[in-house]
Amino acid sequence: MSSPTTKGIKNPRARHGFRGRTCSIASVGSYVPERVLTNADLEKMVDTSDDWITSRTGIKERRIAASDEYTSDMAAKAALRAMKKGGILPEQIDLVIVATITPDMPFPATACLVQQKIGAFRSAAFDIEAACSGFIYAMEIGQQFITSHTYDTVLVIGAEKLSSIIDWTDRNTCVLFGDGAGAAILQSRANAHGLLTACMGADGSKADLLSMPGGGCRCPATAESVASRLHYLRMEGKETFKSAVNAMYTAAQESLRRCELDITRIKCIIPHQANQRIIEAVSERLEAKPDQVFVNLDKYGNTSAASVAIALDEAVESGRIQRGDLILLIVFGAGLTWAAAVIEW
Ligand SMILES: CC(C)(COP(=O)(O)OP(=O)(O)OC[C@H]1O[C@@H](n2cnc3c(N)ncnc32)[C@H](O)[C@@H]1OP(=O)(O)O)[C@@H](O)C(=O)NCCC(=O)NCCS
């Protein structure tokens, strides 16, 4: 054990001799709202068709939260499910991180509201915003607290009520998104590598491809900004598509390279559930077999930060992933941001 005292200053981290430890996912949970909005329903709202949506995106339906059901409610339900599965008590949780672009309010952080709803009164709590990449960004942040011995139990949640920022008159975007939440509890587990690596990246030069122009300090809410529909999500689909394929492929390759792994060693690939064609393009470039790739976007559409978290929970629940398996998560989102993580489950 190295000396905790140097130059008369006590360094709290020195008691661990700065030795890292691994960080694993102890358990996962998810929640989606009850209400289903099908492509047939959308046909009645905008000029679109089930055939167009299915062939361009693979999405058949998505979930929409009730008017009085907020991001913090869905996040709390996903968290409580993860805690139940992992046998984790609220008082064990040291930190709550919520990744979202649809917080209950601009402030305080949705994570603080979740902390109250799950009774994790001892924990610190904050939000992060990396759009659809948020869940891996949040896990990578949480991982640092575990490996540094700062905390023992970190709750990471991706949660979105995207229906609250969708322009339901814009067929270019309204068919793509849905609501939901997914949660993971991070702890160190003996003899497990857990989160082996996360390769994260961003390109702010393409910030305008996918954004919500109103509501921030650049464009606070006014009668004019609301009338101009600036408080809704906007996207340039084609350019976003191309950037997504390139970034997801590159991040995945880099994360595999860091772990000296071949794609054939990966039991399950969980890509961001935005578009079936993006997933196929990335999978082909990675030379992954279709049965390696987990897809549930037909049921939920793109739920942004919740997307891979919900998919991970479903993959575990369905038995697609067993302890010891290697899995690859790949995400992409506004910012632009992207990330890929290799995990020994
Ligand atoms: C949005 C997306 C599905 C559109 O697919 P696409 O192949 O680029 O679209 P196409 O060029 O074939 O078709 C565009 C045409 O379809 C029309 N269209 C758009 N949405 C439509 C809809 N819901 N129903 C019917 N027609 C639609 C457009 O108006 C356009 O018509 P025009 O050519 O007359 O102007 C695709 O670009 C995409 O998925 N992009 C990435 C989006 C994404 O995943 N974002 C989140 C990343 S985190």
Side-chain angles (χ1 to χ4, degrees):
M1 182 86 46
S2 58
S3 163
T5 310
T6 316
K7 292 187 219 159
I9 300 168
K10 184 180 174 192
N11 182 331
R13 294 186 200 279
R15 71 185 185 279
H16 304 297
F18 299 102
R19 277 178 296 110
R21 57 178 174 180
T22 61
C23 171
S24 288
I25 299 179
S27 60
V28 280
S30 64
Y31 169 83
V32 289
E34 234 170 77
R35 185 179 156 215
V36 176
L37 185 73
T38 65
N39 291 350
D41 295 329
L42 282 164
E43 284 176 358
K44 294 176 205 137
M45 296 161 62
V46 288
D47 181 15
T48 190
S49 65
D50 173 44
D51 186 50
W52 193 97
I53 301 169
T54 307
S55 63
R56 296 301 204 291
T57 72
I59 301 165
K60 298 299 281 183
E61 57 189 43
R62 65 290 289 145
R63 298 300 181 95
I64 305 294
S67 58
D68 60 351
E69 185 177 37
Y70 309 118
T71 296
S72 65
D73 297 313
M74 294 185 279
K77 283 182 177 156
L80 288 169
R81 286 177 182 177
M83 289 158 64
K84 191 170 178 197
K85 284 193 238 176
I88 309 288
L89 301 171
E91 53 269 31
Q92 279 177 268
I93 296 171
D94 296 301
L95 173 65
V96 179
I97 309 175
V98 173
T100 186
I101 55 168
T102 47
D104 285 25
M105 297 169 267
F107 73 90
T110 297
C112 295
L113 309 178
V114 174
Q115 181 224 39
Q116 290 299 298
K117 286 177 185 175
I118 64 172
F121 305 122
R122 211 176 52 73
S123 72
F126 63 86
D127 289 359
I128 68 133
E129 207 273 72
C132 303
S133 306
F135 187 68
I136 295 186
Y137 266 67
M139 271 206 307
E140 185 65 354
I141 295 167
Q143 172 271 135
Q144 309 286 337
F145 287 100
I146 303 281
T147 54
S148 65
H149 296 252
T150 305
Y151 293 138
D152 292 325
T153 305
V154 176
L155 170 61
V156 173
I157 307 169
E160 303 283 10
K161 185 173 179 175
L162 292 174
S163 59
S164 67
I165 59 162
I166 295 298
D167 181 348
W168 291 104
T169 66
D170 176 14
R171 69 176 184 174
N172 290 296
T173 53
C174 75
V175 302
L176 303 174
F177 299 97
D179 301 334
I185 290 168
L186 307 183
Q187 286 183 329
S188 184
R189 203 170 69 240
N191 305 319
H193 291 293
L195 306 179
L196 280 154
T197 194
C199 175
M200 306 192 292
D203 179 3
S205 73
K206 292 182 178 165
D208 288 341
L209 286 185
L210 182 49
S211 67
M212 188 171 87
C217 68
R218 203 187 283 196
C219 176
T222 61
E224 291 75 34
S225 73
V226 172
S228 306
R229 314 188 83 74
L230 298 180
H231 300 273
Y232 293 123
L233 173 157
R234 291 181 173 187
M235 182 179 68
E236 289 182 35
K238 266 198 195 320
E239 279 310 308
T240 306
F241 189 110
K242 280 188 238 162
S243 298
V245 173
N246 283 330
M248 290 172 77
Y249 167 71
T250 308
Q253 281 289 71
E254 172 60 14
S255 63
L256 291 171
R257 190 196 61 74
R258 285 184 192 172
C259 303
E260 298 185 1
L261 286 170
D262 187 73
I263 191 74
T264 56
R265 295 278 309 279
I266 302 295
K267 174 75 185 307
C268 187
I269 301 168
I270 303 184
H272 177 45
Q273 306 287 311
N275 183 311
Q276 180 70 33
R277 291 187 302 149
I278 293 177
I279 292 175
E280 280 166 12
V282 173
S283 304
E284 270 168 36
R285 286 181 68 181
L286 287 172
E287 297 182 16
K289 295 203 177 77
D291 67 1
Q292 282 176 286
V293 184
F294 188 86
V295 176
N296 66 359
L297 62 78
D298 49 317
K299 295 188 291 181
Y300 307 128
N302 181 350
T303 57
S304 188
S307 168
V308 289
I310 296 171
L312 178 60
D313 184 41
E314 291 198 347
V316 172
E317 280 295 304
S318 66
R320 284 277 297 268
I321 300 173
Q322 308 286 339
R323 284 289 177 210
D325 288 344
L326 290 170
I327 64 173
L328 173 64
L329 309 184
I330 322 171
V331 293
F332 175 85
L336 299 175
T337 54
W338 56 84
V342 180
I343 302 169
E344 185 203 32
W345 188 254

